[in-house]
Amino acid sequence: RREGREPPLLKRMSELISLLDLTTTLSSSLSGQEILDAALLIVMGELGVSSGALFVRGDDGAYERRAGRGLPSEAPEVVRLGALTDPAVVYKSSGRYPEVFAVSGLELLCPVFKAERAVAVLGIGSRPDGRALVARDAVFLRSMASCAATPIENGLIYHELERVNQRLSVKVFQLNSLFDLNRELASSFDEETIKNLVVTTLMGHLMVSRCALYLSVPGGIARSHERGVRGGGEPALIPEAQARPVLDALTAPRAVSELPSGALRDRLVGGRLALVVPLHLGGQVQGFIATGERVSGVPFTEEDHDFILTLGRQTLAALENVRLHRVQVEKQRQDKELQIAREIQGSLFPDGCPRVPGFEVAAESHACYQVGGDHYDFIPLGGGRLALAIADVSGKSTPASILMASIHASLRALAGSATPTALMRRLNELLLGSTQANKYVTMVYAELDPESRRLTYVNAGHVPPYLLRSGGRLERLTEGGTALGLLEDSSFDVGEVQLEPGDLLTMVTDGVTEAASPEDDEFGDERTVAALRAAADSTPGDAVRSLVSAVRDWTDVAGASDDLTVLILKAS
């Protein structure tokens, strides 16, 4: 035996013992980290080196230091060695990886291959006595690497399984949380309750001390709800011009520091918010959730981003449900009010048609909506006389019906107490003093004296009634004046006709003459007269129904676009 050198047989036996120790250690029940530490110490002890490291390949191809001894403080935690394809030992003197050798204090790197794939790299430092690492040491290292390859790969697989299981556990927890939260959101119809629930849930789940919810509103983005955010005295609304650059950049969760510079980012930074997650609805960013850093300092993970995005979608859906619920409640309220208005309006129409000696009368009114602005009335006057009226208020639906109720009451109060011209002047004054400038009423008011068979009338801007004589001749009742409620000091002329047996007097609103077909052609006077001629020998009730049916056939699928009223008086 030469001085300073171990006999080859003893050296070989020592290496075999070390390999046996390594195999035993790698097969033990120690934890993964303990196994790696023990394996490194065995190799270092056999080679007699004072420093060493074991780097394990990560998902991104870099090698993370999982065990180390005797390394300088500046030694890297992660090294990038490119695509390793050769299992041969790499010496410092080779000139490869200078950035690794320069700062790690290592003398050589030995790749650990499994099935032609590098799974780890073993790094060995220098010997304290200065003896160089020789080819024999490299052979031993490669033997050690061969023994360690399978356990290290198994450890990587086990580590990956642990990581996947951990992520799955987090996902399950998040899904359970989202499921429970969704039930609470679905059961609430109060916006503030929903916003508070979302913000507090996020703060508890992410372990952050501040969180804010920003939602789109007309004119920009508003801080809708916040907890623990500084700058609470600032205006809640961020104008559209200031918010748009940030919203356009929010295609995915982003750190506040990565947002475009401007007033909105400055406000988020001032509120010590760190993460911004967009809220999408219908492909558009409808706002965002901003949170502070975790109290623990641990960065947010991809699972955290997914959780916030999912919660954000639930939040928008819940708020949309609140809006729809509010719309539904409002619609139910309006429907109820319309039903009441319809009942009230229905009570303003005559209960039936009066019996008049020598005459027959019939009338129908059909509102375009639930309530309308058309009206007709039969008003008994003294001496057996009868007043007939048909009117049409500008506009439709509820406002028109309210004005028509006022006209009905005024007409009932004034009929018979003044001449037709005085009555119309009085109604005109009432409308001018109590309605808007764009509101007016067209009306035909007539008084029938059954004994003399005379009919006096005033037409205030209404569709001229059709008087179809028994011989077939047509007359139009046009005497009168302008519509009521348009002009001050309006004057009204009185017309008079003598009714003979077989004469048919028909009053209609413009819902008849202006009824449009699907091709947008009006029903018009000619078709109205043709329908009346066809029903001239019928009773007034049948004539009314025939004319209404003709109008409905004309409009077909287009439907009525205006209120429709028909009143017919037939002399017998």
Side-chain angles (χ1 to χ4, degrees), residues 463-468 474 476 504-515 522-536 543-544 546-548 550-551 554 564-568:
V463 177
Y466 304 87
L467 177 55
L468 188 62
L474 177 68
R476 303 294 295 274
L504 190 72
L505 176 65
T506 303
M507 302 179 186
V508 300
T509 58
D510 59 10
V512 173
T513 56
E514 296 179 4
E522 290 188 350
F523 191 71
D525 288 327
E526 291 184 5
R527 293 183 181 84
T528 302
V529 173
L532 293 175
R533 289 187 186 280
V544 168
S546 177
L547 179 56
V548 171
V551 172
W554 177 254
L564 182 155
T565 302
V566 179
L567 186 156
I568 292 180

Side-chain angles (χ1 to χ4, degrees), residues 1 29 49-50 54 85 125 247 265 267 292 313 321 328 347 362 405 412 430 432 465 480 500-501 516 525 536 550 556:
R1 163 173 173 167
S29 60
V49 297
S50 59
L54 182 61
T85 58
L247 297 181
R265 191 180 77 168
R267 182 176 295 193
R313 287 191 290 268
N321 286 338
Q328 182 182 19
S347 67
R412 282 268 172 170
L430 289 172
L432 283 171
E500 302 297 335
D525 288 327
D556 196 22

Side-chain angles (χ1 to χ4, degrees), residues 328-344:
Q328 182 182 19
V329 171
E330 177 63 17
K331 184 179 183 302
Q332 290 175 346
R333 184 189 66 80
Q334 292 178 353
D335 289 345
K336 185 175 181 180
E337 291 181 355
L338 284 173
Q339 181 60 32
I340 295 173
R342 186 178 180 87
E343 293 173 358
I344 293 174

Side-chain angles (χ1 to χ4, degrees), residues 294-306:
R294 275 200 173 101
V295 176
S296 62
V298 176
F300 294 109
T301 63
E302 184 179 343
E303 287 78 12
D304 296 327
H305 294 170
D306 291 342

Side-chain angles (χ1 to χ4, degrees), residues 14-33:
S14 176
E15 290 176 351
L16 289 174
I17 292 172
S18 295
L19 288 173
L20 179 61
D21 288 344
L22 177 64
T23 304
T24 304
T25 300
L26 293 174
S27 304
S28 67
S29 60
L30 297 173
S31 67
Q33 185 59 51

Side-chain angles (χ1 to χ4, degrees), residues 205-267:
H205 186 86
L206 300 177
M207 299 302 290
V208 297
S209 59
R210 57 188 62 86
C211 182
L213 174 65
Y214 289 80
L215 296 175
S216 293
V217 295
I221 290 286
R223 188 177 63 246
S224 186
H225 197 85
E226 56 86 14
R227 293 280 299 273
V229 179
R230 291 184 176 181
E234 296 179 353
L237 178 67
I238 299 99
E240 175 73 18
Q242 298 179 15
R244 182 48 50 192
V246 170
L247 297 181
D248 291 341
L250 281 179
T251 56
R254 296 187 64 177
V256 171
S257 59
E258 298 174 353
L259 296 176
S261 59
L264 179 51
R265 191 180 77 168
D266 293 343
R267 182 176 295 193

Side-chain angles (χ1 to χ4, degrees), residues 13 50 101 159 176 256 264 267 354 406 418 459 487:
M13 290 181 62
S50 59
F101 286 114
H159 176 72
N176 288 332
V256 171
L264 179 51
R267 182 176 295 193
S406 174
N459 186 337
L487 303 173

